[in-house]
Amino acid sequence: MRVASQTKTVLLIYLGRQGLFPFTSAITRAFLQRADHKALLAVSRENVDFAQFADLGERLIPVDTFRRGLGALQFWRARSIGRELAQRVKQEGITHVVTLMPHVWSWAIAPALRAAGARYCTILHDAQRHPGDHRGLAHPLLMRDIAVADQVFTLSDSVGRHAIEAGRLDPSRNVTLFHPVLGEPRSYLPPPALGEPWRVLFLGRIMAYKGLPLLVAALKRLNAQGRRISLTVMGEGDLAAEQAELTAMGANIINRWVGDEEMAKALSSHHLLMLSHVEASQSGIAAMALGAAMPVVATPVGGLREQIEDGETGVLARAVDATAFGDALCRVMDDPELYRYIGRTIAARRDTHSPERFVDLMIKALD
């Protein structure tokens, strides 16, 4: 039987090419800043943010993956990477390996790491494909990662439950944590002055499951009632039929890729984040809003029901339709004190949902 060591040496792995997402960046920093446990980071040399890790010195393990999508089919290279990392596992006395975000090669790398004596763990972000998310084409390969893992960490009970009910995850291997808040702490924006509009934000990649048509329908109804609302839609993706209606209602449209800094500025200059999802695992954009003490209006789907506590950190619609979503928005607009209370509550709870506490709970759970 394996005896857990009080002091753990953890290898974090992130093989993505498109930079570190706010979640993976925050968790990596929280791990590396700890003095009681040693952490190393294996990151793809093809990652666009690779140069940011130069100061890690010997704690950085560069990994050569691929530059173009078709390179993902070269699974023999993944097994070679597994052997290379297994050598580091032995040399460094690594006790646990944590994949921060499953990669199409993760499942092929894991066996060598386990054979070298490390416990292999992964963080499961999504347990199902969502409508309109073309990245979900790789979903079957990503799900193979949880099949080979000794432990699986989920960011919401919704994701863990879905994987378990689908027969992909044994409950004994699942540890549910939470999605930490992200970004630098800020004070929430005061409610608008009398006669000024509420500035609301739809942020992130535009995909069918995020429910932009539902939001547009809700705001059309409220505009017809004379409500003063200024909408910004920010993110890359196909606006399709909503383009004309968004233009007609005077929405500010920024239809392109948006970096972390620009997203942070948008969050600090709007009153409310709109999550009109028709499906959800959990939301990294919600985590960024909560990090900025920004109240969220959301539909009651998936892990959003866990991230957003109704009347405390945001407002949840009664149902997934335009009328209910519009009514949820009106709850906040008609009650500025509720808006202020939610902003204060988010700020007060920041420490309990921080990346540092997330990592602390993860380390304690590693077996």
Side-chain angles (χ1 to χ4, degrees):
M1 178 181 295
R2 176 184 296 271
V3 178
S5 172
Q6 290 184 341
T7 299
K8 301 177 176 69
T9 301
V10 181
L11 171 61
L12 306 174
I13 298 181
Y14 181 67
L15 299 182
R17 294 174 292 155
Q18 298 179 343
L20 282 181
F21 292 102
F23 170 84
T24 50
S25 178
I27 298 306
T28 297
R29 287 198 307 270
F31 257 108
L32 294 174
Q33 289 169 359
R34 292 186 69 105
D36 54 343
H37 301 281
K38 181 180 179 181
L40 298 89
L41 173 65
V43 65
S44 170
R45 203 186 298 271
E46 285 70 36
N47 188 291
V48 297
D49 290 335
F50 181 78
Q52 294 183 13
F53 305 106
D55 61 340
L56 292 182
E58 294 182 354
R59 292 198 293 172
L60 175 64
I61 305 175
V63 175
D64 291 308
T65 55
F66 50 85
R67 294 187 179 277
R68 300 182 183 278
L70 289 177
L73 301 178
Q74 299 174 357
F75 293 115
W76 63 89
R77 293 183 57 201
R79 298 190 185 280
S80 175
I81 290 172
R83 291 191 294 270
E84 293 175 11
L85 292 178
Q87 288 298 315
R88 293 298 296 267
V89 167
K90 296 174 182 177
Q91 292 170 8
E92 303 284 349
I94 291 169
T95 57
H96 296 79
V97 176
V98 177
T99 288
L100 297 172
M101 186 173 288
H103 183 268
V104 291
W105 284 359
S106 298
W107 61 274
I109 292 171
L113 303 175
R114 296 180 69 193
R119 297 282 283 175
Y120 180 73
C121 312
T122 191
I123 299 177
L124 176 64
H125 296 253
D126 296 293
Q128 63 186 119
R129 288 180 59 183
H130 297 296
D133 186 356
H134 300 300
R135 297 172 300 179
L137 294 174
H139 189 71
L141 287 175
L142 303 180
M143 294 303 293
R144 292 185 70 173
D145 192 41
I146 67 172
V148 300
D150 296 298
Q151 275 184 292
V152 176
F153 292 91
T154 50
L155 307 180
S156 65
D157 182 67
S158 174
V159 168
R161 185 172 63 252
H162 188 92
I164 290 168
E165 290 175 353
R168 297 187 175 118
L169 177 61
D170 188 297
S172 66
R173 293 188 292 120
N174 178 51
V175 178
T176 299
L177 297 177
F178 57 88
H179 198 306
V181 299
L182 303 171
E184 298 300 321
R186 295 182 176 86
S187 298
Y188 65 91
L189 197 66
L194 185 64
E196 292 296 316
W198 285 82
R199 297 197 294 275
V200 303
L201 177 66
F202 180 100
L203 178 63
R205 292 188 64 184
I206 299 165
M207 292 179 272
Y209 75 94
K210 295 186 179 181
L212 182 58
L214 187 154
L215 173 61
V216 170
L219 293 188
K220 283 180 63 178
R221 173 174 165 264
L222 297 185
N223 287 340
Q225 296 173 3
R227 298 279 186 171
R228 292 184 58 78
I229 303 169
S230 174
L231 169 66
T232 295
V233 174
M234 177 181 283
E236 65 179 334
D238 184 8
L239 289 173
E242 280 63 58
Q243 176 81 56
E245 293 195 87
L246 288 168
T247 301
M249 68 172 60
N252 178 29
I253 302 171
I254 304 171
N255 189 206
R256 55 173 171 75
W257 181 86
V258 181
D260 294 346
E261 184 175 342
E262 192 173 0
M263 285 194 286
K265 289 180 179 178
L267 290 167
S268 66
S269 62
H270 289 77
H271 297 102
L272 296 161
L273 177 69
M274 303 285 100
L275 295 182
S276 49
H277 292 51
V278 296
E279 284 186 13
S281 298
Q282 58 275 314
S283 170
I285 300 298
M288 294 179 68
L290 296 175
M294 182 186 196
V296 180
V297 179
T299 48
V301 296
L304 298 186
R305 291 171 293 187
E306 300 169 53
Q307 269 187 291
I308 309 304
E309 186 178 349
D310 188 53
E312 297 290 325
T313 58
V315 175
L316 288 176
R318 297 186 311 276
V320 187
D321 61 56
T323 298
F325 194 73
D327 289 346
L329 174 55
C330 288
R331 278 180 60 194
V332 184
M333 294 173 59
D334 292 343
D335 190 350
E337 185 49 43
L338 172 62
Y339 173 80
R340 295 187 185 94
Y341 171 78
I342 290 173
R344 293 193 300 267
T345 301
I346 294 171
R349 295 183 181 183
R350 182 180 180 87
D351 287 347
T352 64
H353 291 77
S354 69
E356 291 75 19
R357 183 166 183 268
F358 178 96
V359 169
D360 186 57
L361 293 176
M362 175 178 278
I363 288 175
K364 290 177 180 177
L366 291 173
D367 62 19

